[in-house]
Amino acid sequence: MATGRRTTIADIAARAGVSISAVSFALNGRPGVSEATRERVRQAARELDWQPHTAARALGGAKAGSIGFVLNRPARTLGTESFFGDLISGIQLGLTGTHIGMTLLVARDADEELETYRDWWRGHRVDGVIVIDPRRDDDRLRLLAQLGMPSVVVGSHPTPAGSAPSVWIDDSDATDTVLRYLRALGHRRIAHVSGPPEFEHTALRIERVRAFAGTLPDATEDDRTESIPTDYSAEAGSAATRRLLSGARRPTAIVFDNDVLAVAGLGVAGEMGVRVPQDVSIVSFDDSAMIRLVRPAITSLTRDTVELGQRAAVLLREQIEADAPLPSRPGPELTLSVRESTARVAD
């Protein structure tokens, strides 16, 4: 056989010594050929390293053998956020030994993400998708339900019965864990540098931060909280921190939604001569090598993001095979990793 071209079923027929129609029956699991012929055809296909064409698989009703994952984030933030690398590693780990691949696309905006799902499903490119950053009114989940496309959400709570299942971590409880710790250290003026508020997990964090002052005994006008939304970039984190530390009554603690924002905030504190943690404590919702290596190392919520991705991939594999939506499943537990960036409020 000539090299440099795709193997065809005619090549397999010639190698196995059978007709093209027999090859088609054998490879598509259809009756009409003996088991001995079916095995001979399969052996010839393996020897020739033959792979079925995506369109042919679609016409035959076979699975695509791939799951999809769309990242709809500013491209400049993807190279700095360890969360995504860890999540993708976990997804790949959840596919280990299955011969299922992952199709990854970085979308420019929400419309491109929606069109990608349509194209993937129409073209039989993927058998299901993992969705991150859910919104409370999410066009993506409505579209996936309309398409009948198996999906799993990485979110902040179990999804309603009958909808796409989630692998979830309770962001309200996570926020309360951080706030309770800071309150125990005597902090009453706490600021929050957040991601985009349209994301469900961000909105939950903002709600808990806003409610914090009301939990304080003898709260005064001076006991205030504030959330400043950003696009997760270091530039936006720096600008938000500079604004907070330039105010007349600056916060005694700042909580950042991810590690990039936290490290940027730490840099601004140094630039302005604000000591961490003596003058302001800093906490990150994300843990990574980056925040453990800076000085002072930053207190953070720690979760196993690799395991989170693995659980999502395993649930999606099971969802693809199921006849109805499966129940949601909890993600790995969060723990508070206390480091040098937090301390008691100075007397």
Side-chain angles (χ1 to χ4, degrees):
M1 186 183 68
T3 59
R5 68 178 180 85
R6 187 187 300 273
T7 300
T8 68
I9 61 172
D11 299 320
I12 298 171
R15 172 69 67 95
V18 298
S19 67
I20 291 176
S21 60
V23 172
S24 178
F25 291 158
L27 294 178
N28 288 299
R30 295 163 56 192
V33 295
S34 68
E35 281 305 311
T37 298
R38 195 182 305 278
E39 181 53 37
R40 191 161 73 250
V41 168
R42 288 172 176 166
Q43 180 60 33
R46 287 193 291 269
E47 292 172 355
L48 296 173
D49 197 26
W50 175 83
Q51 295 292 329
H53 190 277
T54 300
R57 287 200 304 265
L59 290 172
K63 289 185 170 58
S66 181
I67 65 169
F69 184 40
V70 178
L71 287 173
N72 180 5
R73 288 285 188 91
R76 67 178 180 274
T77 69
L78 297 179
T80 54
E81 287 192 59
S82 63
F83 174 85
F84 295 109
D86 289 345
L87 188 68
I88 291 169
S89 296
I91 293 171
Q92 293 285 11
L93 191 60
L95 302 177
T96 300
T98 65
H99 302 291
I100 298 172
M102 179 174 67
T103 301
L104 174 67
L105 183 137
V106 178
R108 291 167 294 184
D109 52 36
D111 288 340
E112 184 176 13
E113 183 174 359
L114 292 171
E115 192 57 35
T116 296
Y117 294 141
R118 294 188 188 97
D119 289 345
W120 280 352
W121 196 240
R122 285 194 300 256
H124 199 71
R125 296 280 305 282
V126 301
D127 297 312
V129 293
I130 293 174
V131 179
I132 64 169
D133 295 331
R135 285 85 162 168
R136 287 186 169 169
D137 186 26
D138 204 318
D139 291 336
R140 301 170 304 166
L141 301 185
R142 278 195 296 272
L143 173 65
L144 293 171
Q146 292 167 4
L147 294 173
M149 189 176 190
S151 55
V152 164
V153 179
V154 176
S156 298
H157 56 75
T159 52
S163 61
S166 66
V167 175
W168 57 278
I169 293 176
D170 189 335
D171 274 282
S172 293
D173 183 65
T175 307
D176 288 343
T177 296
V178 171
L179 295 176
R180 283 194 299 267
Y181 172 66
L182 291 174
R183 176 177 171 178
L185 293 177
H187 294 280
R188 299 171 70 92
R189 294 195 310 277
I190 300 174
H192 174 214
V193 178
S194 79
E198 63 264 26
F199 292 161
E200 190 173 61
H201 67 275
T202 304
L204 289 171
R205 293 173 183 178
I206 291 172
E207 287 175 5
R208 299 310 301 160
V209 169
R210 285 176 177 168
F212 173 73
T215 69
L216 295 172
D218 304 320
T220 68
E221 185 73 19
D222 199 38
D223 299 323
R224 63 185 66 185
T225 58
E226 179 181 9
S227 291
I228 301 177
T230 72
D231 63 359
Y232 291 118
S233 69
E235 294 79 10
S238 295
T241 307
R242 201 169 284 116
R243 169 184 154 186
L244 289 168
L245 297 182
S246 298
R249 295 292 292 169
R250 68 187 181 207
T252 62
I254 306 176
V255 182
F256 295 87
D257 258 10
N258 70 7
D259 49 356
V260 174
L261 295 172
V263 171
L266 180 64
V268 168
E271 159 203 315
M272 298 180 67
V274 177
R275 299 170 300 164
V276 177
Q278 294 91 335
D279 300 325
V280 64
S281 287
I282 287 179
V283 181
S284 171
F285 272 108
D286 275 349
D287 198 357
S288 69
M290 177 166 55
I291 65 170
R292 295 191 294 271
L293 292 173
V294 295
R295 289 295 177 268
I298 298 175
T299 294
S300 70
L301 281 171
T302 301
R303 64 169 167 257
D304 190 337
T305 307
V306 173
E307 184 179 345
L308 180 66
Q310 182 179 10
R311 292 189 189 191
V314 170
L315 179 55
L316 180 57
R317 284 167 42 200
E318 296 175 7
Q319 182 61 63
I320 289 168
E321 299 297 332
D323 294 327
L326 297 173
S328 296
R329 297 175 186 172
E333 291 187 3
L334 288 169
T335 58
L336 184 66
S337 297
V338 176
R339 303 190 179 97
E340 296 84 1
S341 69
T342 48
R344 292 196 59 82
V345 175
D347 294 331

